[in-house]
Amino acid sequence: MPFKLSVYETDASGSPAGLSSNTVLPYWANKLSSCLAVNMIDNRLTLTTDGNLSVIHEGAKWIIPETKYCLEYYSKDGTLESADLVAVVCSDAKPPVSFLFWVKTLSVVCLVLTLIVYATLPHLRNAHGYYVMFYMACHLVYLVCIMIYSLVHEDVNSPLCILFGYFMLFATLTTCCWLNVICFDIYCMLRYVNYILT
């Protein structure tokens, strides 16, 4: 079954660019035989006229060479009517470093600087300061794990993926717990101030 024309790269008028007489059919045909693992992309894809696949990944344009992907119709429930066009991409095809990665890098730098300030200034090393430091340290671990995972894109069954999954779960839960401790501490402080004023 040929792909819908909306998949093809279009020109300014919205018609397929240079593909008016061409038909692309889904096929596997040893194209991905060199791949160790594959990932499925189910939306935001466009075929270019030179056979590459253009994908919007985290706000950045990702061009995947024709030897690193295959297209096919895929349905989660198995019916042909609900089938959507998906791209099966080799896991070694690396996406570009996105704007979000640089925002996370800036967040990590700011968290580290704030931790250094809290650790060095003596009047911030009280119970309230330790709550904030523990919260920031857990959030820092979470962000570093997310950044490493976005760069590596390992196979789901690899030990590294499982290890980072546990680290991210631990960091997320501890971040939420320390945030609850900070909220409870603020509540107690405001309640005490209100009691003093009345």
Side-chain angles (χ1 to χ4, degrees):
M1 173 164 55
F3 299 134
K4 300 170 188 168
L5 288 178
S6 61
V7 174
Y8 298 111
E9 186 176 45
T10 56
D11 56 17
S13 65
S15 60
L19 292 172
S20 58
S21 62
N22 294 346
T23 300
V24 178
L25 297 174
Y27 68 99
W28 286 88
N30 296 330
K31 198 174 187 184
L32 298 180
S33 60
S34 63
C35 295
L36 297 174
V38 292
N39 298 320
M40 194 176 295
I41 300 173
D42 59 354
N43 55 8
R44 305 175 315 275
L45 54 94
T46 304
L47 291 173
T48 61
T49 55
D50 56 358
N52 294 332
L53 183 70
S54 175
V55 179
I56 301 300
H57 177 74
E58 293 184 2
K61 194 171 196 178
W62 179 20
I63 303 295
I64 303 168
E66 62 181 7
T67 58
K68 296 292 182 184
Y69 77 91
C70 281
L71 295 175
E72 72 171 354
Y73 282 103
Y74 175 76
S75 174
K76 291 181 181 175
D77 59 2
T79 60
L80 189 59
E81 293 80 24
S82 65
D84 287 325
L85 185 65
V86 296
V88 181
V89 181
C90 284
S91 60
D92 61 347
K94 300 294 181 195
V97 177
S98 67
F99 174 73
L100 290 176
F101 179 81
W102 297 115
V103 170
K104 292 173 189 172
T105 304
L106 181 63
S107 298
V108 166
V109 170
C110 291
L111 279 172
V112 168
L113 291 175
T114 308
L115 275 170
I116 290 171
V117 168
Y118 268 83
T120 54
L121 295 179
H123 66 277
L124 291 177
R125 284 185 288 186
N126 54 16
H128 311 294
Y130 284 122
Y131 299 156
V132 174
M133 284 196 315
F134 291 144
Y135 165 72
M136 287 187 299
C138 294
H139 196 62
L140 179 67
V141 170
Y142 173 75
L143 281 177
V144 168
C145 286
I146 287 286
M147 289 171 60
I148 292 172
Y149 179 75
S150 67
L151 288 177
V152 175
H153 283 291
E154 285 293 323
D155 182 25
V156 176
N157 296 321
S158 74
L160 185 63
C161 182
I162 295 169
L163 182 67
F164 274 112
Y166 281 121
F167 269 127
M168 286 191 286
L169 175 66
F170 174 77
T172 303
L173 292 176
T174 53
T175 300
C176 292
C177 289
W178 281 113
L179 197 55
N180 284 332
V181 168
I182 292 171
C183 291
F184 184 73
D185 183 51
I186 291 172
Y187 165 74
C188 289
M189 187 188 318
L190 291 175
R191 188 173 173 207
Y192 177 74
V193 168
N194 193 21
Y195 175 74
I196 295 295
L197 293 176
T198 56

